[in-house]
Amino acid sequence: MKLTTSYRDIWKVSLPIIIGSAAQNVVAMTDSVFLYYKGEEDFAAIGFVSTFYIIVAAIGFGFSRGGQILMARRSGQKQPGTVGRTFYSTVYFELVLAALLFLFMTYGSYWLFASLVDSDIIFYKSLEYLETRKWGVFASYLGVACIALYTGIARPTFIIVDTFILAITNIFLDRALIFGMYGFPEMGIAGAGLASTIAEYVALLVFLVYMAFDKKNRIYNIFKLPKWDPAIIKDIIGISVPIVAMSVVGLGSAFVFFGLVDNFGERALAVTNIVRIVYLILSVPAWGFCTGINTMASYFVGAGKPHKVKTVLWKTSLLCLVITTVLIMPLLIFPTQVLYPILGDERAYLIEAAYPVFWVLWGILTTFSFGSIFFNGLIGAGETGLALGMQFACAIGYVILIFVVVRVPWGTMVWAWSVEMLYWIALFILSLIFFRRPRWRS
């Protein structure tokens, strides 16, 4: 592959990733929308437990991006054989990680949920969902390893097809298993978990078939199974830790936030879930550009052109800002027309109660467009230790502010969501200071 800093190449690499990175968001959103029509209790519960599962998925996705960055680096260095070994090291590590997370969901989720949730209804419905959803972690983690390969070598086009297959399968099975249609049993929230699990295995199978018939990947020795390589595994972990930490802290804070909102009752949790659905949709482009910048920054460093990294960071940030602004404007101007076709008007009061936070989301997405992309550029450039320190410092401040805002008498959901803007602004400033050093200016 050969990349430049042009908007065309940024878009070529990022667009398929934007669509592909939407996979877990699409699954979570589909589950939420169907359970919205099932009942308010199911809808409130899925908002809590699906946020937890997205954290689980983000851990696997974050570590796969470490493999993706290494594969992009080796591709830039014209080392196709090492790309293949890095892919299999990513697969091995993801399988071990999936087994550990499966055990935690089986034996540890009960105690975790009990410590965060006051409502018995939300507690037991969350466990019911996770009982069928946890089996999908193996398909999810293997799937992101395959995505990491094709993203790392800048050939992510098939990810679009596979994501559509995942979404269509999940929509059909959600309708069938939640409501008991087409001869399937009515399983409610447990049916949503089973539908998502089956959809992930279908998508993985399709991806593996595609890889088997893809002749262009032969140079990477995909069909030669190498031994466990501790050195590559160590490199993957070293690069991935800041990425995973960023995802876990952000999503973990949202998970804790959902648990705190539960103290005000199921109604408040349902309102917050409306905001979460909108955020899941609107944040898809930003996360896709973040993954794309990992590849491009790593490629230019591997090709001996680190001075091009800062150029592509600014261009990607501006492109991300334009796209997210265009997406959110219809929601801010015509919220009812945008959301009613998706959520209906049975509980229109929830949409109206959530509307003030939508304006905060615009601010979050604006700061996200710069903070997350510059931070991921830092990781892609190989400065993982520095990135981890920066992220840790910002995360501590963020979590402290969240707890303060949620617990003080004057705290509201608007103020609580607003704290995230400070988090992204801090990451952007710290990352920008690094890229303004002489080695990057030259």
Side-chain angles (χ1 to χ4, degrees):
M1 69 174 180
K2 185 177 181 180
L3 296 174
T4 69
T5 60
S6 66
Y7 282 107
R8 180 180 179 181
D9 275 8
I10 293 172
W11 189 246
K12 181 181 71 175
V13 171
S14 299
L15 179 59
I17 302 172
I18 289 171
I19 297 174
S21 66
Q24 286 300 329
N25 287 10
V26 167
V27 169
M29 185 187 69
T30 304
D31 290 348
S32 295
V33 169
F34 277 106
L35 289 171
Y36 174 84
Y37 290 100
K38 181 68 175 175
E40 188 170 318
E41 292 176 349
D42 290 278
F43 182 63
I46 195 65
F48 172 77
V49 69
S50 66
T51 302
F52 166 75
Y53 192 82
I54 287 178
I55 296 173
V56 172
I59 292 173
F61 182 63
F63 279 107
S64 76
R65 284 169 68 183
Q68 168 203 322
I69 291 169
L70 282 176
M71 285 182 266
R73 185 77 50 83
R74 302 303 174 242
S75 182
Q77 294 170 343
K78 311 299 182 185
Q79 299 179 16
T82 308
V83 171
R85 291 198 300 274
T86 303
F87 165 68
Y88 274 108
S89 294
T90 305
V91 169
Y92 298 154
F93 183 76
E94 291 286 348
L95 283 173
V96 173
L97 197 61
L100 293 175
L101 268 295
F102 178 82
L103 291 174
F104 176 78
M105 287 186 284
T106 301
Y107 299 106
S109 57
Y110 181 96
W111 308 105
L112 177 64
F113 292 177
S115 66
L116 292 173
V117 177
D118 289 338
S119 169
D120 288 341
I121 295 174
I122 302 300
F123 175 72
Y124 286 109
K125 283 187 174 291
S126 296
L127 291 177
E128 187 180 351
Y129 174 84
L130 201 60
E131 186 62 30
T132 54
R133 189 69 183 94
K134 65 184 180 183
W135 296 96
V137 69
F138 297 100
S140 174
Y141 280 26
L142 285 177
V144 294
C146 297
I147 290 173
L149 169 64
Y150 279 84
T151 303
I153 62 175
R155 289 185 53 221
T157 306
F158 185 74
I159 297 173
I160 299 176
V161 177
D162 203 55
T163 301
F164 276 116
I165 292 172
L166 172 68
I168 292 170
T169 305
N170 192 52
I171 290 171
F172 171 77
L173 290 176
D174 260 344
R175 184 178 176 84
L177 292 170
I178 291 175
F179 300 104
M181 302 179 69
Y182 316 121
F184 288 88
E186 182 178 352
M187 299 176 63
I189 194 170
L194 181 58
S196 300
T197 294
I198 295 174
E200 286 186 327
Y201 278 101
V202 170
L204 174 62
L205 178 62
V206 171
F207 210 121
L208 292 176
V209 171
Y210 171 78
M211 290 178 63
F213 287 95
D214 181 13
K215 295 182 179 179
K216 292 183 179 180
N217 66 24
R218 299 295 189 270
I219 62 172
Y220 306 112
N221 297 323
I222 295 300
F223 299 102
K224 183 180 179 181
L225 197 65
K227 295 181 180 179
W228 175 277
D229 193 326
I232 297 180
I233 295 292
K234 182 179 178 181
D235 287 342
I236 292 173
I237 294 174
I239 293 174
S240 302
V241 166
I243 304 174
V244 175
M246 184 177 71
S247 299
V248 171
V249 168
L251 294 169
S253 300
F255 180 57
V256 173
F257 178 64
F258 265 81
L260 293 173
V261 170
D262 170 72
N263 296 325
F264 302 106
E266 287 86 359
R267 177 66 53 81
L269 194 57
V271 171
T272 306
N273 200 17
I274 293 285
V275 180
R276 186 186 68 90
I277 291 175
V278 174
Y279 195 17
L280 284 174
I281 299 171
L282 296 177
S283 64
V284 165
W287 284 114
F289 280 116
C290 286
T291 308
I293 206 65
N294 286 155
T295 292
M296 299 196 75
S298 186
Y299 173 85
F300 287 124
V301 171
K305 302 175 182 179
H307 57 281
K308 292 188 175 182
V309 173
K310 193 166 65 172
T311 301
V312 80
L313 288 176
W314 280 112
K315 287 186 174 182
T316 304
S317 297
L318 292 171
L319 188 59
C320 180
L321 176 62
V322 170
I323 291 174
T324 51
T325 300
V326 169
L327 288 176
I328 200 172
M329 277 300 144
L331 176 69
L332 297 177
I333 301 172
F334 310 108
T336 54
Q337 289 85 345
V338 172
L339 292 179
Y340 280 6
I342 301 174
L343 301 176
D345 56 4
E346 292 92 339
R347 284 175 286 278
Y349 56 88
L350 296 178
I351 299 175
E352 294 171 1
Y355 179 70
V357 188
F358 297 159
W359 288 93
V360 177
L361 288 182
W362 187 14
I364 292 174
L365 291 169
T366 299
T367 54
F368 190 4
S369 297
F370 290 88
S372 63
I373 288 172
F374 269 76
F375 180 76
N376 277 278
L378 201 65
I379 296 171
E383 302 291 340
T384 54
L386 177 64
L388 181 59
M390 288 166 43
Q391 199 273 339
F392 183 72
C394 293
I396 291 176
Y398 174 71
V399 172
I400 291 173
L401 286 175
I402 282 289
F403 272 95
V404 170
V405 171
V406 171
R407 292 185 177 275
V408 296
W410 49 265
T412 64
M413 281 196 295
V414 171
W415 283 109
W417 282 88
S418 299
V419 173
E420 188 167 338
M421 287 189 286
L422 300 177
Y423 173 79
W424 294 120
I425 290 171
L427 271 184
F428 170 65
I429 293 174
L430 292 173
S431 301
L432 183 61
I433 289 172
F434 175 82
F435 282 111
R436 288 176 66 85
R437 289 178 175 180
R439 61 173 289 198
W440 294 102
R441 287 204 301 267
S442 61

